Amino acid sequence: MIIAGNWKMFRGPDPHALAGLDAIVAPPFTRLRDCVDAGLTTYAQNVHWEADGAYTGEISAPMLLELGVTGSLVGHSERRLYFGETDETVALRTRAALDAGLRVIACVGETLAEREANETEDVLRRQLSVLEPHPHLVLAYEPVWAIGTGLTATPEMAQDAHAFIKSLLDAPVLYGGSVKPDNAAGLLAQPDVDGALVGGASLDVDSFKAICQTAARIRS
Ligand code: 13P
């Protein structure tokens, strides 16, 4: 079971308050060093496919590794929605990060319009078609309509999507989208839900710890 906290563009909690927790944190770039120094398994939120070059605003895998960072998120829906991330750039980032020795959590998921048009499986198939299994690749199913909205996929919806994803690509699949202490148990109990990618609730130490404790309880 993998629990990861995506702090997005929030400063986030004091990393020392999370010391010893069996979880991944993905803080903004400016807090990576603090998280590494606090002994946390630390991921970036994005990584470029070149080792260096004229790519203003980007960061490379060797630079992250030099800091002691373990992995990176790739293809989060907010990157796809607001910053022009495409399936092709997701593939480039993922491959380069894995080749360089980073772990990757690659994010997939449909929008509300796509779900309502019955296109969820087509979207997932398209997003996954550019990825290949790798021992250090984990996927996150994050239905866009459930991110930051308070709406959560039901455990059954998550299970269905995860089983479909695993039928296409052999990798652990985390669920993301309004995971909170009070809904984590139902989601994490599903056989094909291998963990959670937590946004808002990861900014609150008590909430994040409670989700980690739920995961530990379900695993044992
Ligand atoms: P929320 O948990 O705030 O809905 O965010 C989910 C997410 O996008 C994690 O990457």
Side-chain angles (χ1 to χ4, degrees):
M1 194 78 76
I2 300 168
I3 304 297
N6 174 10
W7 296 2
K8 308 192 178 185
M9 201 175 72
F10 294 99
R11 195 165 183 281
D14 176 0
H16 292 283
L18 302 171
L21 207 61
D22 181 13
I24 292 167
V25 292
F29 289 126
T30 52
R31 302 215 75 199
L32 287 171
R33 184 182 292 282
D34 286 347
C35 290
V36 169
D37 287 350
L40 304 178
T41 304
T42 305
Y43 278 40
Q45 297 176 14
N46 193 20
V47 57
H48 197 264
W49 52 90
E50 296 289 349
D52 46 36
Y55 299 105
T56 303
E58 292 282 336
I59 198 88
S60 77
M63 292 167 181
L64 293 170
L65 286 161
E66 192 183 328
L67 263 185
V69 167
T70 302
S72 183
L73 307 182
V74 171
H76 191 279
S77 63
E78 288 150 14
R79 301 291 323 162
R80 296 178 190 256
L81 209 57
Y82 306 132
F83 301 102
E85 193 81 70
T86 63
D87 294 331
E88 287 65 39
T89 54
V90 168
L92 287 170
R93 293 182 196 280
T94 300
R95 202 169 309 127
L98 291 170
D99 285 351
L102 286 173
R103 294 173 179 268
V104 169
I105 298 175
C107 305
V108 297
E110 80 288 358
T111 63
L112 184 60
E114 289 162 343
R115 175 163 281 268
E116 287 178 346
N118 243 342
E119 292 170 0
T120 299
E121 293 196 347
D122 291 342
V123 170
L124 295 175
R125 199 179 286 111
R126 193 201 74 223
Q127 291 174 334
L128 292 165
S129 68
V130 298
L131 301 173
E132 287 155 20
H134 186 286
H136 293 159
L137 175 64
V138 167
L139 302 172
Y141 171 60
E142 299 204 306
V144 177
W145 48 271
I147 295 178
T149 57
L151 298 173
T152 321
T154 63
E156 293 72 26
M157 285 159 85
Q159 168 58 28
D160 286 352
H162 285 221
F164 179 71
I165 289 168
K166 288 185 185 188
S167 75
L168 299 175
L169 201 153
D170 184 21
V173 185
L174 315 183
Y175 171 79
S178 298
V179 176
K180 310 280 180 221
D182 61 359
N183 62 21
L187 291 159
L188 294 172
Q190 299 302 309
D192 289 313
V193 175
D194 303 307
L197 181 53
V198 184
S202 74
L203 299 172
D204 179 82
V205 170
D206 291 339
S207 295
F208 193 54
K209 283 186 174 173
I211 293 168
C212 293
Q213 281 159 6
T214 299
R217 203 170 57 240
I218 288 171
R219 178 175 25 199
S220 63

